[in-house]
Amino acid sequence: MAEFEAGTAAGAERPRPLSPHLQIYKPTLTMVMSIVHRITGAALYFGMLLLAWWLIAAASGPNAYAGFEWFMGRVLGQLLLFGYTWALIHHMLGGIRHLIWDTVHGFEPAEREMLTLATLIGSVTLTLILWVVGYLVMGGPR
Amino acid sequence: MREAPHMRTPMRRVRGLGAAHSGTGHFWHQRVTSVAGIPLTIGMLLVITALLGRSHAAVVQILASPIVSIIVLLFIINTAYHMWIGMQEIILDYVHDEKWKFLSLMANTFFVFAVSLASVYALLRLSFGV
């Protein structure tokens, strides 16, 4: 990178050619899902704060844990938790898709569309199933 | 041996470089942690679902059992390294100013260590406390 930048600075008199970026292309499913994979990854990064809060609250005692449960029982907490569940499952399925692509399989047009659509449908379906199970079987967060 | 520098090809200049000056090592580590992350994420989702709505005492009891503790610990450690590489990749893609680049790379390291070690500490303290 340093080498490249040095080269750019030396030829500063004439503008360097730029490769076309996002705004040039028509959005496609695989492209949008690639971006979503990165966004869910970044969201999960900060979502680890929720996991840390949960464990610290549990280790601190019943009062701290009650505070965590209170927050998670509110609308904002539930939304965060639902988003976290979906992002986690979506990022995992997207990761599996990338691992399949890493083996140089699934690159035919129909295959890559199918794989990409499958991760989206799969993540939404699994998240809903998990939440239905969470509420019906486990009684949901209280 | 004094001739050695003349033997160097342009390849020498790109070895071990790249925006983070560390080559393709992280690419591979990201794959390793993503493969490990599949069973660990499934395990983590099962643990969290099983703990929904339970009392504090029951949550502590279950989290402290060795198998559950080990699953959660592995999830935290594996995720910490995976998210550290991932955020570094995002920073290198979007932050081009050298000063901000290194400050955000540093912040990434601090965040990952703080969040993951705090989680590990809480879990171990809770586990050994039972």
Side-chain angles (χ1 to χ4, degrees):
Chain A
M1 199 64 197
E3 295 289 329
F4 179 77
E5 279 168 357
T8 311
E13 304 83 37
R14 66 195 162 99
R16 307 302 301 161
L18 292 171
S19 52
H21 202 46
L22 290 179
Q23 64 275 12
I24 286 277
Y25 301 105
K26 182 164 78 77
T28 61
L29 187 64
T30 45
M31 168 188 175
V32 172
M33 281 308 161
S34 169
I35 296 166
V36 169
H37 191 70
R38 173 163 285 200
I39 292 172
T40 51
L44 290 166
Y45 179 93
F46 294 104
M48 283 298 277
L49 286 170
L50 288 180
L51 183 71
W53 182 16
W54 178 54
L55 292 172
I56 292 167
S60 299
N63 284 342
Y65 199 70
F68 175 80
E69 282 195 306
W70 177 85
F71 178 78
M72 283 306 162
R74 301 309 98 188
V75 175
L76 178 63
Q78 293 279 286
L79 281 175
L80 276 175
L81 206 53
F82 187 82
Y84 185 84
T85 318
W86 175 75
L88 186 60
I89 293 174
H90 189 83
H91 197 79
M92 179 179 75
L93 294 181
I96 292 172
R97 173 168 52 98
H98 279 290
L99 288 172
I100 293 171
W101 281 343
D102 281 345
T103 67
V104 208
H105 287 91
F107 276 120
E108 294 302 318
E111 290 174 342
R112 59 171 192 254
E113 291 296 309
M114 190 276 286
L115 275 173
T116 308
L117 202 57
T119 56
L120 182 60
I121 294 170
S123 68
V124 173
T125 310
L126 285 176
T127 306
L128 291 175
I129 289 174
L130 201 62
W131 272 67
V132 168
V133 168
Y135 264 95
L136 293 188
V137 183
M138 303 310 300
R142 280 187 287 252
Chain B
M1 290 309 288
R2 286 184 61 81
E3 297 299 312
H6 301 287
M7 300 294 287
R8 287 181 177 170
T9 64
M11 177 67 87
R12 172 71 184 80
R13 294 164 61 207
V14 300
R15 276 214 185 111
L17 289 181
H21 307 289
S22 58
T24 57
H26 285 165
F27 175 90
W28 177 242
H29 292 166
Q30 197 69 338
R31 266 70 196 161
V32 174
T33 50
S34 69
V35 171
I38 297 168
L40 292 174
T41 300
I42 294 170
M44 198 64 204
L45 286 169
L46 292 177
V47 167
I48 291 172
T49 309
L51 292 178
L52 281 178
R54 289 186 193 270
S55 69
H56 173 256
V59 167
V60 168
Q61 189 80 39
I62 294 170
L63 274 180
S65 68
I67 291 294
V68 175
S69 267
I70 290 167
I71 291 172
V72 178
L73 266 181
L74 289 177
F75 177 83
I76 295 167
I77 294 165
N78 187 66
T79 304
Y81 191 37
H82 187 82
M83 73 195 234
W84 180 74
I85 299 173
M87 186 52 79
Q88 173 175 284
E89 197 177 316
I90 293 177
I91 291 167
L92 295 177
D93 273 359
Y94 302 129
V95 185
H96 299 303
D97 179 80
E98 285 292 311
K99 185 180 70 189
W100 285 109
K101 183 166 92 178
F102 283 101
L103 283 176
S104 34
L105 288 174
M106 235 191 244
N108 179 35
T109 304
F110 294 163
F111 180 86
V112 170
F113 268 87
V115 171
S116 57
L117 288 184
S119 304
V120 166
Y121 168 77
L123 183 66
L124 290 182
R125 190 187 160 120
L126 177 154
S127 302
F128 294 136
V130 166

